[in-house]
């Protein structure tokens, strides 16, 4: 009983002391605000000048303290209309999906989706930036590799290998092209061959034009098909890459290029590629595709660059419809040059030359 009486007595005193405590807090607040105002008026930096600077917009604004603390504020009719706006403006505005959550952090999976989209767009832009015939060749290589992985080694040999009997009697005319595109199953050698195909194929196409590169590829497929039938090779894609490299090396043979770690002349690159394949496979038969590629590439180089200089016709020239289809800019330039030449010939025919002895007769 005595303890309960003591508790009730303490509670009464606490309840009575609450108004006094609230009054003291209000007085302290008032003194604190007036002190800050006087310090600002004097221009003296006080001890808590940063806090005073933050507090001055609220103190000098003329608003009551209840409004600053979060109390209810008076609404103006005009302000409410301007803030709300019309219904038509709300309908016109579209909400864009934000990548931030309600807390201000990025949503889960938003960054990964953006990165995946950017990676795919970059890969597609790089693929489209490759020159057309080199892009088609790389696509055929990728497709032949996928078919080889799906069908297995035996079925791939039956379907894609160069077989002259099935090609002639069975009219399986895709076999020369599939033999030129199959580089084997994915491996380190496959990656290196794909890189060489992109590097040297795009360089050759950029140097001589798309139509001339078409003539090069078509002639190499014919020559390498004949040589592969004679030697018994089922696929000649490495030979085609070596032929590209041989033609480029013959165009600038003494230029120094970097191969692995060494600086070597350009003409030695096909032989270096052949040496690396022989060392990797540890067999001398690995040199046969490269030898065939060097021979077929030299046939093209001789008939394209050496034979016309000896006074003979150039056989490695693309047809007109191929040039119009693959090199429209080059055909426009040729037509402009021909028109200018024909105009010059006509102007020369119009001008009459002086006869011999005309000057002597005038004298």
């Amino acid at each position: 009983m005595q303890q309960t009486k003591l508790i009730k007595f303490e509670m009464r005193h606490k309840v009575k002391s609450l108004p006094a405590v609230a009054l003291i807090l209000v007085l302290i607040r008032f003194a604190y605000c007036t002190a800050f105002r006087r310090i600002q008026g004097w221009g003296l930096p006080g001890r808590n000048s940063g806090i005073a600077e933050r507090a001055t917009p609220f103190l000098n604004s003329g608003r009551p303290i209840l409004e600053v603390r979060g109390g209810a504020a008076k609404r103006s009719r005009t302000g409410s209309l301007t803030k709300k706006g019309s219904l038509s403006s709300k309908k016109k505005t579209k909400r864009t999906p934000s990548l931030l959550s309600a807390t201000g952090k990025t949503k889960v999976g938003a960054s990964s989706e953006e990165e995946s989209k950017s990676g795919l767009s970059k890969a597609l832009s790089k693929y489209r930036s490759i020159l057309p015939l080199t892009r088609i060749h790389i696509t055929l290589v990728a497709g032949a590799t996928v078919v080889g992985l799906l069908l297995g080694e035996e079925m791939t040999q039956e379907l894609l290998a160069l077989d002259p009997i099935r090609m002639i009697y069975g009219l399986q005319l895709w076999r020369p092209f599939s033999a030129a595109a199959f580089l084997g199953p994915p491996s380190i050698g496959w990656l290196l061959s794909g890189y060489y195909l992109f590097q040297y194929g795009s360089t050759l196409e950029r140097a001589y034009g798309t139509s001339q590169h078409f003539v090069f590829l078509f002639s190499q497929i014919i020559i390498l098909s004949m040589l592969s039938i004679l030697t018994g090779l089922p696929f000649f894609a490495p030979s085609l890459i070596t032929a590209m490299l041989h033609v480029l090396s013959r165009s600038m043979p003494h230029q120094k290029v970097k191969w692995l770690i060494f600086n070597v002349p350009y003409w030695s690159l096909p032989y270096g590629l052949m040496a690396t394949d022989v060392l990797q496979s540890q067999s001398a038969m690995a040199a046969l595709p490269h030898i065939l590629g060097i021979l077929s590439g030299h046939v093209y180089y001789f008939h394209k660059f050496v034979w016309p200089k000896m006074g003979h016709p150039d056989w490695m020239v693309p047809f007109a419809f191929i040039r119009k289809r693959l090199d429209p800019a080059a055909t426009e330039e040729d037509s402009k040059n021909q028109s200018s030449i024909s105009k010059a010939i006509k102007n020369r025919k119009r001008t009459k030359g002086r006869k011999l002895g005309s000057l002597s007769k005038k004298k």
Side-chain angles (χ1 to χ4, degrees), residues 4 6 66 78 86 109 171 192 214 232 241 263 268 341:
T4 54
L6 287 171
L66 286 173
T78 56
S86 62
L171 294 178
L192 289 173
F214 175 80
I241 295 169
N263 288 325
S268 63
I341 290 166

Side-chain angles (χ1 to χ4, degrees), residues 133-187:
L133 289 181
T134 307
R135 184 172 65 243
I136 293 168
H137 198 171
I138 290 169
T139 308
L140 289 174
V141 168
T145 306
V146 172
V147 170
L149 289 173
L150 293 174
L151 298 179
E153 189 175 354
E154 293 182 359
M155 288 292 293
T156 304
Q157 290 277 344
E158 291 181 3
L159 185 64
L160 301 180
L162 184 65
D163 192 348
I165 296 170
R166 292 182 179 179
M167 186 176 66
I168 295 169
Y169 295 103
L171 294 178
Q172 297 180 2
L173 302 177
W174 69 83
R175 289 187 178 273
F177 303 100
S178 61
F182 187 67
L183 288 170
S187 60

